Amino acid sequence: MSITEAQDEIIREFSLLDGDMEMTVFYLMELGQKLPPLIPGDKNDDNLVKGCQSLVWLTASLKNDTVQFSGDSNTAITKGLVSLLIRIFSGQHPDDILHADLYFMKKIGMERFIGTQRSNGFAAMIKQMKFYAYAFKTQLSLKS
């Protein structure tokens, strides 16, 4: 599934909630609960995302020239946000991640249910994922 297709799927899912704030937050937390657990050793300072109010851990690996992400958070809503980004970016080529136009946040009205602090943390997560993609792109270019 492409980045665009993943975003469109998320938009469709959230549109079923018809803007209900309580249901949206509950659904976001439910998505976080479905996130596969991180290996306990991966919850370390090296994998912490800087700039998040909550604790957020992100790991990345390169498999068949695509980036595979894993993540976790100590709060339910933030874990849901991590799960959305993993769903969009995991399995994508580094170039596609670096050039991705993320529009799903605006379409689902995310600014209505996450505050400024969490928005800053969300931006930090995206930045970290793009940093991993850049590192893997460099690694792939050295292999060529």
Side-chain angles (χ1 to χ4, degrees):
M1 181 180 295
S2 73
I3 289 173
T4 299
E5 290 167 336
Q7 290 187 90
D8 290 345
E9 186 176 82
I10 289 167
I11 293 165
R12 276 191 300 278
E13 289 169 12
F14 276 82
S15 73
L16 296 174
L17 303 172
D18 206 25
D20 183 304
M21 190 79 76
E22 188 176 333
M23 296 262 301
T24 301
V25 171
F26 181 76
Y27 182 63
L28 191 58
M29 292 189 301
E30 192 177 290
L31 291 174
Q33 289 173 348
K34 293 177 182 175
L35 199 60
L38 261 185
I39 299 166
D42 284 344
K43 285 187 177 182
N44 60 51
D45 289 348
D46 291 339
N47 295 327
L48 267 176
V49 176
K50 313 297 183 262
C52 290
Q53 184 176 6
S54 303
L55 296 176
V56 176
W57 299 271
L58 274 175
T59 65
S61 60
L62 191 64
K63 185 177 182 181
N64 299 325
D65 294 346
T66 64
V67 184
Q68 305 301 316
F69 289 101
S70 297
D72 200 356
S73 177
N74 67 329
T75 64
I77 292 174
T78 304
K79 190 171 181 173
L81 294 172
V82 170
S83 76
L84 290 175
L85 290 175
I86 288 173
R87 186 168 156 192
I88 290 167
F89 286 142
S90 208
Q92 303 298 329
H93 190 275
D95 271 331
D96 295 331
I97 295 168
L98 289 169
H99 298 104
D101 172 28
L102 293 179
Y103 55 86
F104 80 96
M105 299 94 67
K106 191 171 198 76
K107 295 277 187 179
I108 66 173
M110 201 167 81
E111 71 281 348
R112 290 185 1 256
F113 57 90
I114 69 169
T116 306
Q117 283 290 61
R118 218 173 249 131
S119 291
N120 292 338
F122 191 71
M125 289 181 240
I126 294 168
K127 183 179 177 181
Q128 183 64 43
M129 293 174 113
K130 289 192 176 213
F131 176 78
Y132 280 129
Y134 183 77
F136 289 129
K137 175 183 177 169
T138 302
Q139 183 180 331
L140 287 172
S141 70
L142 293 174
K143 272 187 358 183
S144 302

